[in-house]
Amino acid sequence: MAAGADAIIAEREGELTREQMIPLLQEIQAAEGFLSAEAMITVADALETPVSRVYGVATFYNQFRFAPVGEHVIEVCRGTACHVKQSLALAQHLERRLHLRDDGNSADGRYTVVRVACLGACSIAPVIKLDGAFYGHLTTEKLDALLDELEADGDAAKPDAFPSAARAPEEQRDEAA
Amino acid sequence: MKISINGKKVEAKQGETVLQVAKRSGVDVPHLCSLDWAPSPAASCRLCVVEADGSSRLLTSCTLEAADGLAVQTHTPRVLKARRAIMELLVASHPQDCLSCVRGGHCELSTLAADLGVRKARYVGAVKHHPVDISSPALWRDPDKCVLCGRCVTVCHDVQGVGAIDFTGRGFKTRVAPGFSPGLNVSECVFCGQCARVCPTGAIVERDQVDDVVAALADPDAVVVAQVAPAVPATLMEGHSKSEGVRVMLERLAAALKRVGFDAVFDTGFAADLTIVEEASELLDRVRNGGVLPMFTSCSPAWVNYVETHRPDLIPHLSTCKSPQQMAGALIREIYPKRTDLDGRRLVVVSVMPCTAKKFEAQDLDGVDHVLTTRELDHLWGRFGVDFGTCTEQAPPDPPFAETTGAGRLFAGSGGVMEAAVRTAHLLVAGSELEGDPKVAEARGREGVRRFTVTAGEAELNLAVVNGLGRLTETLDELLDPQTSLHFVEVMSCPGGCVGGGGQPYDTDVQAVKERLERLYEVDRRSRTRRAHENAGVQALYEDLLGRPLSEASHRLLHRTYTDRRPHSVQV
């Protein structure tokens, strides 16, 4: 199952110490996209450490994910400006519409929703980032339209469909600054 | 080296912490996270803070190393104020359900809060809502009650070497859980219960079976009998005068159990003697007929669980003998209905054990219906209004499982099974008894691993005693190495043996366990019969029912098989 983990560990055979647990987990996540139970068991085994400890360390850090990333990644900005502009409503709307689990993944595995502190695009708050593209001045209605579009298309998001909302990230960052 | 504690000069050893020195000199500094027998305190509870000369800040005495001339103050107004505030914060998110908590009346946290003068909830924190884990037949967890002191984690990893549970998550969401947070039943837990013994709250407790027992006692269609493990009377003596021996305590316990409605009370020590005769015969059979060696004991159920869940490759090394609890359970069911007219009523067998893993074992094998730990006895007395401390009435255990030799009583302590086995194996191998005092000094002691050789006639038996699962991992390869050519290895899961078991009174002190061991040695020394095979009841049993050791009847009643129970998180 955890082929990436096996390869990464095999590469370092004989030179593994417990201190390398976090770098190992990072490398496995980079290769596999997330930390599977099998990967953590493999790490525990290689480091001769109980699985509970590897799991404990992994769950301590926000950087580690425990499920594969969905086809579409939505980052909902929960920074101060977006918060004032009701971004919580957007986040909750996504939870309901996409049937998100605790870990932010939709039950069908298509979407991953992450709440982030600030996307640096405060001037177009409330803002989300969908598959790398920014969409600003959102309302729940606009968000629905965006998701309807995405689902109808079955394709990657097309910022062009929302000319008023979408701009290149660099441009937005300049504006915010 | 001398340090000053509250103005009084105290001798300190190199490497000792101020907390340890204070304790030794009779100054009680409150603490939750640090444990005497575990390395490296987490210094996470902060309750042990003291004022030290030369430091403007309060320092945790569990990490403050004693240095010559160091002067500390342990109970100044500043320290007391800080400790109370720390405790108030610790309990701010703790459930306020003390009235219905299983630890009610026996709670270290509430005692400590009272001692520190917490009289009102100044801080009211958010409430946790973690699911309760009742998945295992031995230990139940309620993470909402946990104050994250980490004792259980320390014990599970550093003392027992099992590592089934650890802190998971972060911040307010932190909780103690098995890896991937499933129930304990599918984790690497072996149910030794050492976590429950040291938990200061009701976050990890034994599965409470007092109500089951009370219901059985009230059932007119049930005949309820008890069997009592040798460690239990040796523990109940605490707080009683020394002149009352273990035997007296057992008889008082039997009388009290009968008072609350038990129809008969048996001594599990009888089955310990029987175990030895079977186990020594099995060992000899393996040695003579090229069986798998070394043979490991199988009387400690957490050790059996360890083999089944962590090292199923060792199953052929485990003795096929059931533990004394299960031998007794099987024999009671076989024999008691023949001796006593049950009049159509069902037979309920309750065992009183120092152990939480026995609850798992009783569910796994036939014979025993309910298991009460030494701690649960208190709750049983509570239900029936029995003040056990003042009960002086005595009743001898009931035949046919009434008699126990000194060897059987030694079972309750680390090295005891080995010592008892040597006494019987000597006869089987050499054809003659051990000469003089049958004490086997090499088997006794508190070291983690004790290896020695016994000469019986012309044969040499290479033996090892492992005191606590934590010492096993480091030594297992060596024990299994054909070069070591070991014949027999005793493993007891809990440090000190059953007297330090996970079902024993809440405790973080090693002294009590040491004293219990001394009591076992004493009762052995005073016993009329000190060799398991001298037990007249055991001899009669072989004559009437079993024939001889390892016979077909004994295989049916006294032996068992094992299962590979590896959880998916264990690879071999």
Side-chain angles (χ1 to χ4, degrees), chain A residues 35-38 40-42 44-46 49-63 66, chain B residues 153 157-158 161-171 175 177-181 188 568-572:
Chain A
L35 295 179
S36 64
E38 287 76 13
M40 285 184 273
I41 293 166
T42 310
D45 221 36
T49 302
V51 164
S52 65
R53 182 129 297 170
V54 177
Y55 183 75
V57 168
T59 52
F60 182 82
Y61 295 101
N62 287 327
Q63 59 175 301
F66 302 99
Chain B
V153 174
H157 285 257
D158 300 332
V162 174
I165 49 173
D166 203 347
F167 293 108
T168 66
R170 183 175 194 158
R175 69 200 187 287
F180 314 123
S181 307
E188 291 158 62
H568 81 301
S569 53
V570 172
Q571 302 177 341
V572 171

Side-chain angles (χ1 to χ4, degrees), chain B residues 392-552:
Chain B
T392 49
E393 201 186 325
Q394 285 173 238
D398 291 280
F401 313 117
E403 201 177 328
T404 304
T405 67
R409 300 218 188 277
L410 286 176
F411 252 64
S414 170
V417 176
M418 180 58 72
E419 183 162 354
V422 166
R423 292 177 190 177
T424 294
H426 194 279
L427 174 69
L428 293 179
V429 175
S432 63
E433 298 286 1
L434 264 180
E435 277 176 38
D437 186 347
K439 175 177 168 182
V440 184
E442 300 95 324
R444 301 183 182 185
R446 290 175 52 220
E447 303 82 14
V449 182
R450 308 190 281 280
R451 272 174 52 186
F452 58 100
T453 300
V454 166
T455 313
E458 290 176 3
E460 285 198 335
L461 287 175
N462 299 325
L463 310 167
V465 173
V466 179
N467 179 13
L469 281 179
R471 301 304 304 278
L472 189 78
T473 36
E474 67 196 59
T475 187
L476 198 53
D477 287 343
E478 199 188 329
L479 297 182
L480 293 170
D481 188 347
Q483 296 287 317
T484 318
S485 65
L486 279 177
H487 296 105
F488 188 42
V489 182
E490 175 203 295
V491 183
M492 290 207 191
S493 307
C494 298
C498 311
V499 288
Q504 289 283 70
Y506 298 115
D507 199 357
T508 55
D509 194 351
V510 285
Q511 189 57 30
V513 173
K514 231 163 89 182
E515 284 167 14
R516 289 170 203 155
L517 282 172
E518 288 304 323
R519 274 178 225 135
L520 297 177
Y521 299 149
E522 177 66 14
V523 70
D524 168 52
R525 200 178 58 78
R526 289 195 194 180
S527 293
R528 262 184 306 112
T529 48
R530 298 179 65 185
R531 295 168 179 89
H533 51 274
E534 290 172 351
N535 186 325
V538 170
Q539 290 167 353
L541 192 66
Y542 277 110
E543 231 158 81
D544 302 339
L545 177 71
L546 300 170
R548 55 183 171 75
L550 309 183
S551 68
E552 197 183 319

Side-chain angles (χ1 to χ4, degrees), chain B residues 281-356:
Chain B
S281 306
E282 185 188 353
L283 175 65
L284 207 67
D285 180 60
R286 287 187 186 220
V287 171
R288 288 189 175 152
N289 300 319
V292 179
L293 292 173
M295 182 175 89
F296 287 101
T297 55
S298 59
C299 30
S300 177
W303 156 239
V304 170
N305 287 342
Y306 185 87
V307 171
E308 290 188 326
T309 54
H310 292 244
R311 291 297 300 266
D313 56 311
L314 297 181
I315 285 176
H317 289 271
L318 276 182
S319 161
T320 61
C321 289
K322 285 180 184 171
S323 71
Q325 162 175 279
Q326 294 306 134
M327 283 200 183
L331 288 174
I332 290 167
R333 287 204 183 283
E334 178 81 11
I335 296 170
Y336 189 68
K338 291 180 190 158
R339 291 175 56 107
T340 313
D341 183 15
L342 297 185
D343 199 16
R345 292 173 297 168
R346 72 194 166 96
L347 179 62
V348 176
V349 179
V350 176
S351 55
V352 184
M353 294 283 145
C355 181
T356 48

Side-chain angles (χ1 to χ4, degrees), chain A residues 8-9 24 28 32 75 93 96 116 124 132 137 139 156 164:
Chain A
I8 288 163
I9 283 164
L24 258 184
I28 291 167
E32 301 188 341
E75 291 166 70
H93 186 70
R96 279 192 293 270
V116 294
I124 55 168
H137 300 305
T139 61
S164 66

Side-chain angles (χ1 to χ4, degrees), chain B residues 345-378:
Chain B
R345 292 173 297 168
R346 72 194 166 96
L347 179 62
V348 176
V349 179
V350 176
S351 55
V352 184
M353 294 283 145
C355 181
T356 48
K358 289 281 174 202
K359 288 176 182 274
F360 178 91
E361 187 186 60
Q363 176 159 313
D364 190 30
L365 302 173
D366 290 335
V368 177
D369 296 286
H370 309 298
V371 179
L372 297 182
T373 59
T374 313
R375 290 193 294 264
E376 282 169 278
L377 268 185
D378 268 348

Side-chain angles (χ1 to χ4, degrees), chain B residues 109-191:
Chain B
L109 185 71
S110 91
T111 307
L112 204 49
D115 285 351
L116 294 174
V118 176
R119 289 287 176 271
K120 61 178 177 186
R122 275 205 298 157
Y123 310 111
V124 180
V127 180
K128 299 178 201 173
H129 292 290
H130 298 300
V132 173
D133 177 7
I134 56 169
S135 64
S136 97
L139 295 165
W140 284 3
R141 300 186 309 120
D142 184 353
D144 288 356
K145 290 181 177 160
C146 176
V147 292
L148 301 174
C149 70
R151 278 185 193 171
C152 54
V153 174
T154 307
V155 164
C156 192
H157 285 257
D158 300 332
V159 178
Q160 294 298 74
V162 174
I165 49 173
D166 203 347
F167 293 108
T168 66
R170 183 175 194 158
F172 186 67
K173 290 180 176 167
T174 309
R175 69 200 187 287
V176 172
F180 314 123
S181 307
L184 275 185
N185 62 331
V186 290
S187 76
E188 291 158 62
C189 178
V190 300
F191 308 119

